[in-house]
Amino acid sequence: MSTRREVMALGAASAVTGCVPSLAKSTYTSLAETIRSPLAAHPDSVELIRFAALAGNGHNTQAWRFVVAPSRIAVLPDLSRRTPVVDPDDHHLFVSLGCAVENLALAAEGTGRSAKAVFNAAGEGRLDVELGQSRSSPSNLFQAIPRRQCTRSEYSGAAVPLADIKQLETACAVDGVSIVIETAPPKLNAIRDFVVQGNSRQMEAPAFCEELKRWIRFNEKDAMASRDGLFSAASGSPQLPTWVGNAMFPLVFTEKSENDKYARQMASSSGVAVFIGDKADRDHWIKVGRSVQRFTLQIAVLGMKYAVINQPIEVASVRSGFAKWLGAPNARPDFVLRFGYAKLDQNLPKSLRRPVSDIVVRT
Ligand SMILES: Cc1cc2nc3c(=O)[nH]c(=O)nc-3n(C[C@H](O)[C@H](O)[C@H](O)COP(=O)(O)O)c2cc1C
């Protein structure tokens, strides 16, 4: 699921239409920066929620709501923003909630509060984050929140020092979640094959392509109008008028071009991390999200890049083979990402978020 899909598509489309990306400092860039402006020393709950919502989330649907009460913020799913084709059981939706809760806790702890999250499985499911007082000082992970982003491009291929791999493992340690990190080329090649297999199954499904297209924002204007979804330029693709993007999408978004792109991206990556919850339930999906968010913030701390390659786990038939290959045939692998270092001059625009007033419910 992702803008991974349209990068190649729009690259080819641009060659056809002659459109040039307009990525000079723009209203879009200013908005993306404002959304990520630093927190004040003593932020209120709404400001903490602004930082929570900077978390990674599937298709950038931002399928969350926050209920503010004295000393507590509840995080709930927004099921009107589900992606039922790629995520039929809301697995990614709850992983995304976990990512947001981790940001919320880091932001609270970075500004003099304690934060304890308790999952309540009743009904749609909710997380109650109790806020107290604490003397903790701002962590590196907290400070990296505005800098973290997915970078769906080819990397430099440079190896990651073992000490940095250890830091990544330490940063993402969460009870109930295991992580497997692979850096050896034969293992990365095997994972590439699962990515390609999963991608092929998805590309054969018109409903998958249709759902993905609905969340793509082909230009700044559309991205700023909705402030959600997958902005093409944030994936390194040129911008296009909406009608051109929609028309070109099925023509250039092909199984072969996508698979070739993933193979190149995998060959340029230094490693892959796979996250596996102890159980396949919403509580553990949230824990996985917390672990993923911590890992990706540590990536930003280390000046590295990452991108999500969830194809091996999004297609159930591919997922079972992938679990066997991992040596965990009874587990449900929950999240897969590749990581590495940017090539020079690789600063893609950051994704937008909806206004905080749209996601906060006051009691
Ligand atoms: C649960 C989850 C699933 C995701 N799945 C994919 C994916 O399959 N492909 C992809 O390229 N990005 C994927 N992403 C990354 C999101 O698209 C990305 O976080 C979102 O667009 C916001 O952009 P940002 O992370 O750069 O802020 C996923 C993220 C999460 C948390």
Side-chain angles (χ1 to χ4, degrees), residues 109-124:
E109 288 160 5
T111 53
R113 241 79 62 88
S114 61
K116 187 172 180 320
V118 177
F119 179 61
N120 181 343
E124 294 177 348

Side-chain angles (χ1 to χ4, degrees), residues 158-194:
V160 182
L162 197 56
D164 291 354
I165 297 279
K166 293 264 175 251
Q167 282 201 54
L168 289 164
E169 280 171 347
T170 306
C172 75
V174 167
D175 272 353
V177 181
S178 312
I179 180 170
V180 177
I181 296 184
E182 303 288 5
T183 55
K187 299 265 187 177
L188 299 186
N189 288 343
I191 295 171
R192 173 204 61 205
D193 292 346
F194 282 109

Side-chain angles (χ1 to χ4, degrees), residues 83-103:
T83 46
V85 180
V86 73
D87 189 26
D89 55 3
D90 296 328
H91 166 269
H92 283 352
L93 193 155
F94 279 92
V95 172
S96 302
L97 289 194
C99 295
V101 164
E102 187 57 36
N103 265 15

Side-chain angles (χ1 to χ4, degrees), residues 204-250:
E204 287 159 8
F208 171 85
C209 300
E210 217 16 74
E211 182 179 80
L212 176 65
K213 194 171 78 167
R214 274 204 303 279
W215 285 100
I216 292 177
R217 309 291 175 249
F218 289 105
N219 49 62
E220 286 185 347
K221 187 164 166 261
D222 286 357
M224 288 194 294
S226 67
R227 292 174 59 162
D228 63 10
L230 301 163
F231 175 36
S232 54
S235 293
S237 302
Q239 297 190 56
L240 295 170
T242 314
W243 72 269
V244 177
N246 277 319
M248 298 299 292
F249 183 80

Side-chain angles (χ1 to χ4, degrees), residues 36-184:
R36 289 170 175 79
S37 56
L39 282 183
H42 302 292
D44 63 12
S45 292
V46 171
E47 275 289 277
L48 291 180
I49 291 166
R50 176 168 67 83
F51 257 47
L54 292 179
N57 66 98
H59 276 16
N60 198 20
T61 62
Q62 304 163 46
W64 44 47
R65 290 175 296 143
F66 298 82
V67 181
V68 175
S71 306
R72 185 192 308 138
I73 297 173
V75 186
L76 288 91
D78 180 348
L79 298 178
S80 69
R81 291 179 162 264
R82 309 177 60 231
T83 46
V85 180
V86 73
D87 189 26
D89 55 3
D90 296 328
H91 166 269
H92 283 352
L93 193 155
F94 279 92
V95 172
S96 302
L97 289 194
C99 295
V101 164
E102 187 57 36
N103 265 15
L104 180 57
L106 288 168
E109 288 160 5
T111 53
R113 241 79 62 88
S114 61
K116 187 172 180 320
V118 177
F119 179 61
N120 181 343
E124 294 177 348
R126 62 187 281 149
L127 274 139
D128 289 311
V129 182
E130 301 289 344
L131 299 172
Q133 295 300 317
S134 130
R135 292 211 197 118
S136 51
S137 46
S139 62
N140 284 342
L141 297 190
F142 162 58
Q143 282 160 343
I145 288 175
R147 298 200 307 275
R148 183 213 57 83
Q149 73 180 121
C150 287
T151 304
R152 301 176 186 89
S153 57
E154 289 179 36
Y155 300 157
S156 73
V160 182
L162 197 56
D164 291 354
I165 297 279
K166 293 264 175 251
Q167 282 201 54
L168 289 164
E169 280 171 347
T170 306
C172 75
V174 167
D175 272 353
V177 181
S178 312
I179 180 170
V180 177
I181 296 184
E182 303 288 5
T183 55

